Amino acid sequence: MRAAADTKTRILDTAERLFAEHGYAPTSLRKVIAEAGVNLAAVHYHFHSKQDLLEAVVVRRAAPVNRERLEMLARCEREAGGKPPPVEKILEAFLAPAFRLARECTEGGAAFARLMGRLHAENDALPRILKNNFGPVLTAFHSALHRALPEVPKEELFWRMYFAVGAMAHTLRGDQGLEFISNGACPTPDWQTTLRRLIDFLSAGFCAPVKVRRKRK
Amino acid sequence: MRAAADTKTRILDTAERLFAEHGYAPTSLRKVIAEAGVNLAAVHYHFHSKQDLLEAVVVRRAAPVNRERLEMLARCEREAGGKPPPVEKILEAFLAPAFRLARECTEGGAAFARLMGRLHAENDALPRILKNNFGPVLTAFHSALHRALPEVPKEELFWRMYFAVGAMAHTLRGDQGLEFISNGACPTPDWQTTLRRLIDFLSAGFCAPVKVRRKRK
DNA sequence: GTCTATAACTTGATAGAC
DNA sequence: GTCTATCAAGTTATAGAC
């Protein structure tokens, strides 16, 4: 169990870390194999191409995270008993799994979360993978949020989710962003505090009064 | 004035567009010169290196945008006469120049805004350029927001700006993101409407009650 | 499954003629 | 300022031995 990981896993782990750290395009397979201590041909044997390696890296983590999101959503809807759960709880169900993975896991998880934050911007590569993995999740959360906020038009709600995803991805990327904005004055706290801050911020945004006039049919 | 642009400008324009469309790393200089219709050596003559070309692309647009941000901020502070201006106005001063560049300019501006959205994620390359261009702006806006929201601790305010920048960058990137989230059901409106929605969303976030306990000194 | 060797190509950068 | 020609190094990917 704790023995040295096999070749395939070592490649996945290393690629995950390097893609997260430097981005997909600038990370060559040779850098990956050098750090993973495997042979170049092994990458092509196990993953066929660099692009497919990226997809393998993504699906390995995305599936559990999205499953947990839906589970947390279902749980908080159950606890609310009939009524729609509070917006904070819905947002927590969406955000917490990703943040925990990002900041709590000992090894690979942290890198992956940064990678996802990156890919939201560098995603030319994997449209259908994202669509398959995240599409149903986004639909489920849009529906939950719509029930919690019936006064917000569906279209506006999509936009608010879009803004929220941007804030989340930016935060998950977790590079020197905040130190930069705050000019170094702002220490990075534990992930629970960051998550708490983000949920408070976004909840208020979702509950904001709607001022944009609805387009007539 | 409307004559064919000179070599240097053509390179800048083309690089801006391609960097925005595909990212910095995957865009080779040869793709740039092919579309710009210039010689490869001209790039190195005018810009020395690919990295310096990117910096030139960034500074050309960032400087005017940031100047306009500070002007709008100063104007709305003047109009508020002594009192701090409303949060919406401060946010508008920060967001509107970037959005107008993104969605109104006929040619290059739109590409640049997408590029900036991208670089917020792919920015390993240009830390000091961003620092020089955006540092003072962020400081000014943090200070303005602090005066408008004295009950929000400075540290929390930095985080909220961080979230807001993430949402802005994500929105400016403006790829198929929303169509993706909404599964194609959500048409992309004009930029003023998007800006209005974003300001409403972020204003509420900035004004949210502070729940995270302040750390003791 | 893992290796070596190498094909086939692209990259950023430069030297030097004009 | 702009060109051609080219370098040196990097890239993904594959063929074939073990």
Side-chain angles (χ1 to χ4, degrees):
Chain A
M1 229 21 160
R2 264 267 145 264
D6 64 342
T7 300
K8 197 170 176 179
T9 307
R10 278 220 306 287
I11 295 172
L12 275 176
D13 290 345
T14 311
E16 176 174 75
R17 199 179 71 250
L18 293 182
F19 287 164
E21 221 159 301
H22 308 293
Y24 170 74
T27 300
S28 69
L29 291 180
R30 332 200 66 115
K31 288 178 198 156
V32 174
I33 61 144
E35 293 212 16
V38 303
N39 189 276
L40 174 60
V43 176
H44 291 99
Y45 174 79
H46 286 288
F47 300 99
H48 188 66
S49 72
K50 187 187 179 185
Q51 175 66 228
D52 288 355
L53 171 58
L54 173 62
E55 299 196 357
V57 165
V58 170
V59 295
R60 180 173 66 150
R61 304 277 187 194
V65 166
N66 282 330
R67 199 180 325 118
E68 197 187 344
R69 281 171 164 158
L70 293 176
E71 281 169 8
M72 283 186 72
L73 179 61
R75 193 180 321 134
C76 78
E77 283 183 324
R78 223 180 306 120
E79 284 169 4
K83 284 177 305 192
V87 173
E88 289 85 0
K89 287 287 171 192
I90 301 176
L91 290 178
E92 188 182 358
F94 186 77
L95 297 169
F99 270 77
R100 179 164 19 197
L101 181 63
R103 306 292 154 83
E104 204 172 49
C105 287
T106 39
E107 291 191 54
F112 175 71
R114 273 179 292 143
L115 174 59
M116 287 312 301
R118 231 180 230 287
L119 287 180
H120 274 280
E122 202 194 1
N123 70 355
D124 294 7
L126 61 169
R128 78 177 178 292
I129 282 291
L130 287 178
K131 191 141 202 147
N132 290 344
N133 281 274
F134 293 85
V137 176
L138 293 172
T139 304
F141 276 89
H142 182 272
S143 148
L145 286 165
H146 177 59
R147 269 170 282 144
L149 297 164
E151 70 279 12
V152 178
K154 285 190 170 188
E155 188 180 344
E156 177 87 26
L157 201 53
F158 275 127
W159 274 102
R160 293 184 177 184
M161 287 179 67
Y162 188 66
F163 302 147
V165 167
M168 176 195 72
H170 196 229
T171 308
L172 283 178
R173 219 171 302 129
D175 46 9
Q176 75 297 11
L178 184 67
E179 292 82 23
F180 169 59
I181 278 190
S182 71
N183 221 358
C186 203
T188 303
D190 55 310
W191 71 268
Q192 283 98 338
T193 305
T194 304
L195 175 60
R196 183 79 254 141
R197 287 198 163 108
L198 182 55
I199 291 176
D200 292 346
F201 182 83
L202 295 178
S203 294
F206 273 101
C207 301
V210 177
K211 292 187 207 156
V212 172
R213 201 183 313 272
R214 260 181 123 160
K215 209 171 283 180
R216 258 173 255 288
K217 264 267 169 73
Chain B
M1 227 19 162
R2 262 268 146 263
D6 63 342
T7 300
K8 196 170 176 179
T9 307
R10 279 220 305 287
I11 295 173
L12 276 176
D13 290 344
T14 310
E16 177 175 71
R17 200 179 71 250
L18 293 182
F19 287 163
E21 222 159 299
H22 309 292
Y24 170 74
T27 301
S28 69
L29 292 181
R30 313 180 106 95
K31 288 177 198 155
V32 173
I33 61 141
E35 294 213 16
V38 303
N39 189 274
L40 175 59
V43 176
H44 290 99
Y45 174 79
H46 285 289
F47 301 99
H48 188 67
S49 73
K50 187 187 180 186
Q51 176 66 228
D52 288 354
L53 170 60
L54 173 62
E55 299 196 357
V57 166
V58 171
V59 296
R60 179 174 66 149
R61 304 276 188 196
V65 166
N66 282 331
R67 197 179 327 116
E68 196 188 344
R69 281 171 164 158
L70 293 176
E71 281 168 10
M72 283 187 72
L73 180 61
R75 191 180 325 132
C76 79
E77 283 183 325
R78 223 179 308 119
E79 283 168 5
K83 283 178 306 192
V87 173
E88 289 86 0
K89 286 290 172 192
I90 300 176
L91 290 178
E92 190 183 357
F94 186 77
L95 297 169
F99 270 77
R100 176 163 24 194
L101 181 62
R103 306 292 154 83
E104 205 171 50
C105 287
T106 40
E107 293 193 54
F112 176 72
R114 275 181 290 143
L115 174 59
M116 286 312 300
R118 229 180 232 287
L119 288 179
H120 275 281
E122 201 194 1
N123 70 355
D124 294 8
L126 61 170
R128 77 178 178 291
I129 281 292
L130 287 177
K131 192 139 201 149
N132 290 343
N133 280 275
F134 293 86
V137 176
L138 292 172
T139 304
F141 276 88
H142 182 272
S143 148
L145 286 165
H146 177 59
R147 268 170 283 142
L149 298 164
E151 70 278 12
V152 177
K154 286 190 169 190
E155 188 180 345
E156 178 87 26
L157 201 53
F158 275 126
W159 275 102
R160 293 183 177 184
M161 287 180 66
Y162 189 65
F163 301 147
V165 167
M168 175 196 73
H170 195 228
T171 308
L172 283 179
R173 218 172 304 129
D175 46 7
Q176 75 297 13
L178 184 67
E179 290 84 23
F180 169 60
I181 278 190
S182 71
N183 221 1
C186 203
T188 302
D190 55 307
W191 71 266
Q192 282 98 338
T193 304
T194 305
L195 175 60
R196 180 81 255 142
R197 287 196 164 111
L198 182 55
I199 290 175
D200 291 346
F201 183 83
L202 294 178
S203 294
F206 274 102
C207 299
V210 177
K211 294 189 204 152
V212 171
R213 200 183 312 274
R214 261 182 121 161
K215 208 171 282 178
R216 259 173 253 288
K217 264 273 169 71

